[in-house]
Amino acid sequence: MTKKLLIDTDPGCDDAVAIAAAVAHADLELVGLSTVAGNTTLENTTRNTLAILELLDRTEVPVARGCDRPFCRDLVHAEEVHGPGGIRGDMPEPTAEVIDDHGVSFIVEQARAHGDDLTIAAVGPWTNLAAAMHLEPDLPDMVADIYLMGGAAMTGGNVTPEAEFNVYVDPEAASHVVQYARPKMGGLDVTNRSKVAPELIEDYARRGVPFETIAAWFGYEDTDAIRERGIDDPPSVHDAAVVIDIVDDIFEYETYPVEVNTGHGPSRGATICDTRGAPGEEPNVDVAVDVDLERFQTTLAETLENL
C-alpha cells in the first residue's frame, strides 16, 4: 500500500538523497516538502529543494517555505560539510516556485487533508514541526507516524560531544517535539552507520544525469574529485536512512523516556535518553537502536534505479 509522505527538510546533501528516494520509491507518494533553515539559510534550502525536484523532473511536488530561524537561537549552519549554498553537485536552475502557504501551515493542512494516511518525516531542525504542533496540538494523533532524523541517544554528537546537529540548531523546538509527538527518532545511533558502498558512488559519478549529481550528494564532494580519487570511506547519508526505514523497516526501535537539554554551554542540544527504566518516567520516543545496513544499501540502490 502506498504511503503518503510529507518531508520537512533543509537540503543538504543527505536531504537531497532522501528526497530522491521518496520520489523514486513505488510505495511512497510525496505529497509535499516544507523547507526550514538548518544546513544553510532558508533562502538556500528552499532554492535547493526546488532545484532537486527540477533535476529529478518532479516539479509538480509542492514546496512550502517554512521558518527562517530557530525559535530562540541564532542560526548555526553546516555549509562547511554540505558545500557553499548547502549542497554539492551540478544543480539546475529551478523553474517552479514555492506555493503561497507557509511551511508550518502546509504541514497542518496536509495532516488535516490526509489524516492517518499521512506520514511526516522531519529531517532538518524540527522548528516547522514544533510550530505546526503549536498551531494544531492534535497533529500527532491525526497522522500515521512522525519520523525524525536527529538526536544522539546512546552515542556522541556530531556538533558537540553530546549534541546532534538538527537538535543543536533548535533545541527548544526539539524539546517540544519529543515531549508531545511520540515520534520515531532515527538518530546518530543508527544513521552514522548508514553509508552506501564506495563502488556505487564511483559508478554513479560516471553515469550522467541525475546520477552524477547524486554521487556528489553521497560523497559530500564534487563529482570531478570522486572520478579522480574515488571514495575510500563514504560519509553517512543520515536523512536517506530515515526515508528507507519508512518503507522497509531497516531500524530496530526501543521505547524510552527522552528529553532535550535546552540550556546553554557544552550540553546544549543533548538528547537525554533514560535507559534505566526509572519509576515515574513515561516512555515518549521510539528510539532507533540498530540498523540493517545491508538492507538499507540494497533498498536505496534499487529505489534510485527508478529515477
Side-chain angles (χ1 to χ4, degrees):
M1 180 178 176
T2 302
K3 293 184 178 182
K4 297 182 185 297
L5 177 65
L6 185 153
I7 298 180
D8 187 66
T9 183
D10 63 333
C13 292
D14 54 332
D15 303 75
V17 179
I19 294 168
V23 301
H25 200 287
D27 293 336
L28 290 176
E29 177 189 345
L30 186 60
V31 302
L33 297 150
S34 51
T35 61
V36 67
N39 285 321
T40 183
T41 64
L42 179 68
E43 179 181 1
N44 288 338
T45 63
T46 303
R47 178 183 174 82
N48 293 346
T49 300
L50 293 169
I52 292 162
L53 294 175
E54 189 78 31
L55 177 73
L56 302 176
D57 196 24
R58 292 299 304 272
T59 55
E60 81 282 0
V61 176
V63 176
R65 191 196 319 265
C67 295
D68 65 355
R69 56 164 295 159
F71 281 173
C72 307
R73 315 273 178 152
D74 292 332
L75 177 65
V76 177
H77 64 71
E79 290 189 6
E80 71 280 4
V81 175
H82 296 270
I87 200 164
R88 308 279 183 177
D90 187 11
M91 301 298 293
E93 187 71 22
T95 59
E97 297 183 355
V98 296
I99 62 175
D100 291 336
D101 292 343
H102 190 279
V104 172
S105 300
F106 181 69
I107 293 171
V108 174
E109 290 165 4
Q110 293 303 303
R112 290 172 176 166
H114 299 297
D116 61 6
D117 289 331
L118 181 68
T119 295
I120 297 172
V123 298
W126 307 337
T127 312
N128 286 340
L129 180 57
M133 290 168 56
H134 280 291
L135 186 63
E136 175 50 85
D138 291 333
L139 187 145
D141 296 324
M142 296 165 63
V143 301
D145 284 300
I146 294 176
Y147 285 78
L148 308 173
M149 191 283 119
M154 304 172 205
T155 190
N158 59 0
V159 179
T160 71
E162 296 188 34
E164 179 275 332
F165 177 80
N166 285 342
V167 178
Y168 182 84
V169 169
D170 197 343
E172 286 76 19
S175 177
H176 185 78
V177 169
V178 299
Q179 287 182 63
Y180 299 110
R182 188 54 190 265
K184 298 179 182 294
M185 187 176 78
L188 299 182
D189 307 84
V190 289
T191 65
N192 273 343
R193 291 178 272 164
S194 300
K195 304 181 178 188
V196 297
E199 296 80 11
L200 181 70
I201 301 174
E202 292 164 8
D203 174 58
Y204 277 18
R206 294 172 172 82
R207 283 183 59 177
V209 178
F211 292 97
E212 62 183 9
T213 300
I214 296 174
W217 299 341
F218 277 144
Y220 299 73
E221 191 170 5
D222 291 338
T223 311
D224 289 343
I226 295 171
R227 291 194 194 104
E228 291 175 10
R229 299 197 311 269
I231 292 283
D232 293 329
D233 183 20
S236 304
V237 280
H238 306 273
D239 298 341
V242 172
V243 169
I244 296 301
D245 181 61
I246 290 170
V247 289
D248 203 23
D249 297 323
I250 60 168
F251 294 162
E252 176 186 337
Y253 289 93
E254 295 176 359
T255 306
Y256 293 107
V258 174
E259 297 181 18
V260 172
N261 190 318
T262 58
H264 297 274
S267 294
R268 164 185 168 174
T271 311
I272 304 163
C273 179
D274 187 350
T275 61
R276 305 166 301 164
E281 294 292 333
E282 291 295 327
N284 60 324
V285 176
D286 295 332
V287 178
V289 297
D290 200 7
V291 57
D292 186 330
L293 177 59
E294 182 178 356
R295 199 155 87 238
F296 165 68
Q297 292 177 334
T298 299
T299 302
L300 180 60
E302 291 176 350
T303 299
L304 294 177
E305 287 300 319
N306 296 327
L307 291 172

